[in-house]
Each structure stands twice: as C-alpha cells, then as structure tokens.
Amino acid sequence: ETGVTQSPTHLIKTRGQQVTLRCSSQSGHNTVSWYQQALGQGPQFIFQYYREEENGRGNFPPRFSGLQFPNYSSELNVNALELDDSALYLCASSRDRGRTEAFFGQGTRLTVV
Amino acid sequence: AQSVTQLGSHVSVSEGALVLLRCNYSSSVPPYLFWYVQYPNQGLQLLLKYTTGATLVKGINGFEAEFKKSETSFHLTKPSAHMSDAAEYFCAVSSSGGYNKLIFGAGTRLAVHP
C-alpha cells in the first residue's frame, strides 16, 4: 500500500506567478484535503475534494483552486502568488469525506520571492 | 465552532523523563481528536486518535492520550522520553461540517536532552 506522495518537494516562484502542486492519494482513499502550514504555525485547511468535487473550503481566497482526478489524485493551483503564500503545503488523503483519520504527505515547500 | 489550544509552544525534558503535552479543545459536537507528530522538513504522522469509546487511547512509539470531557482536554503523555521523540507535536479536532476538516493547534516543540 503506497502512502500519500507530493511533488515537487521544493520550489521557488516569483511574486505574481502561478504554481501547481500535485498529490497522489493513498490507495483506497477517495478524499483529498490541502493544508497550508506557515513557518511556526499549525496547518490551516484550504479545501477538500471528494470524488472530484470540492466539498469544503477554508478561509482562503479564490486564487487558491484545486482539482481531483478520477484516480483521486489532486492538484492545488495558486494564482497571482504573494510573498505570504510562502509555506509548506500539505496534502492529506482519507477513506471518506467524513470525520475519519487523514494521512499526510511529506509536503511541498513553496518559497515566493 | 471548533478550536484547539496547545499550552506551551516549547517543552524540554530529560531523556527518560515523563513527557506531557497539553491540549484543550472546544467543540459544539462530540469531538474527534488527533495527535500528529512532525519531524523537521517532513509531513505529519498520526500518533493516535480518539473518536468514541475508551477514553484512554494508545498510539505509536509509546504515546498515549486521555480524553477528558469535563476538562475538554486531550493531553499527550509518554512515560519515558527518548532522544528520537524530539519533534513538533500537533493536536487537532475534526470539524462537524460534513467534511474532513482538521483544526490544528499551534503546535508544541519537544526538546529531549541527555
């Protein structure tokens, strides 16, 4: 059983650019959630995808968007990058969209300069 | 609305000493509670969870936590610290909004010294 994998592990972008982060969910999981973890803080929920539909969103602007594919892998897209978007982005997968345990990937470290 | 408060952003213990990391939660529904550990430059690893049933839950690496409804607490303990326990620990509560949103505390950094 493979775990949650994210790519890339690190990247550097310039303010105003767009970025796409990728996540492969754990085998047997149909739900993917994305979190932003700023330095020295706990992760903050961005949104969740269940069977290719967004079914929950945190307090993030519309320039944060996502996709989930038929194989349940997912992308996080961020447009018009700002310096404050620099953070560790974590993907988590779970068996269902309800209150079940979530398994996290190793994260993507995004630096905006 | 749910929230989590972790008391103590930094905790330092000696190797072999008791580890106690504090977590208090607020929840309008029966809570589902989790402890995660994060090693430097890595993602989050689930240590243990409480959903229903037994209030004392055991996790990996010798950690356990006790759900106390009257105190709205879910403190994490380990009888004897090991150097490899040095990491960041996060307490989280699962939201009740029909989707699997975890609300995390700010984290506690555990240092273990010889």
Side-chain angles (χ1 to χ4, degrees):
Chain A
E1 183 177 275
T2 57
V4 180
T5 58
Q6 294 185 241
S7 63
T9 55
H10 297 81
L11 75 166
I12 300 173
K13 290 287 188 178
T14 302
R15 188 171 51 182
Q17 285 188 315
Q18 178 266 342
V19 69
T20 297
L21 311 182
R22 294 178 174 83
C23 171
S24 294
S25 61
Q26 188 165 313
S27 176
H29 290 187
N30 59 20
T31 302
V32 172
S33 302
W34 287 91
Y35 290 80
Q36 180 195 67
Q37 186 180 17
L39 201 60
Q41 298 183 24
Q44 299 289 318
F45 177 79
I46 302 175
F47 44 55
Q48 176 178 293
Y49 278 81
Y50 169 71
R51 295 187 175 182
E52 303 179 57
E53 297 283 334
E54 183 183 301
N55 81 316
R57 189 177 184 93
N59 189 26
F60 281 80
R63 59 189 185 84
F64 286 78
S65 63
L67 284 173
Q68 187 179 31
F69 301 99
N71 66 354
Y72 304 128
S73 66
S74 178
E75 288 182 353
L76 164 66
N77 299 289
V78 187
N79 294 320
L81 284 167
E82 302 177 358
L83 297 180
D84 284 349
D85 295 332
S86 296
L88 181 68
Y89 287 85
L90 295 164
C91 170
S93 75
S94 50
R95 293 191 185 280
D96 202 353
R97 60 181 171 175
R99 301 168 74 195
T100 61
E101 59 198 76
F103 295 87
F104 285 80
Q106 83 282 7
T108 294
R109 173 73 63 185
L110 171 64
T111 302
V112 182
V113 298
Chain B
Q2 285 90 359
S3 65
V4 172
T5 301
Q6 291 184 241
L7 298 176
S9 58
H10 291 81
V11 171
S12 181
V13 300
S14 299
E15 191 173 20
L18 171 71
V19 175
L20 171 60
L21 304 182
R22 299 178 186 275
C23 172
N24 288 89
Y25 69 90
S26 171
S27 179
S28 55
V29 297
Y32 283 21
L33 296 160
F34 305 85
W35 275 99
Y36 285 87
V37 61
Q38 186 176 38
Y39 297 99
N41 300 313
Q42 293 190 26
L44 302 177
Q45 180 183 10
L46 180 67
L47 278 176
L48 49 80
K49 64 178 180 180
Y50 169 80
T51 53
T52 59
T55 56
L56 181 63
V57 293
K58 296 184 183 300
I60 62 171
N61 301 338
F63 285 94
E64 61 183 37
E66 186 171 11
F67 169 64
K68 293 186 176 181
K69 183 178 179 181
S70 61
E71 298 177 8
T72 61
S73 69
F74 190 57
H75 302 331
L76 181 71
T77 60
K78 182 174 180 178
S80 177
H82 192 273
M83 297 295 287
S84 61
D85 294 328
E88 186 94 23
Y89 291 80
F90 292 95
C91 180
V93 64
S94 181
S95 73
S96 58
Y99 50 92
N100 197 16
K101 172 183 176 181
L102 291 173
I103 299 162
F104 287 87
T108 297
R109 182 166 297 279
L110 175 66
V112 182
H113 52 86

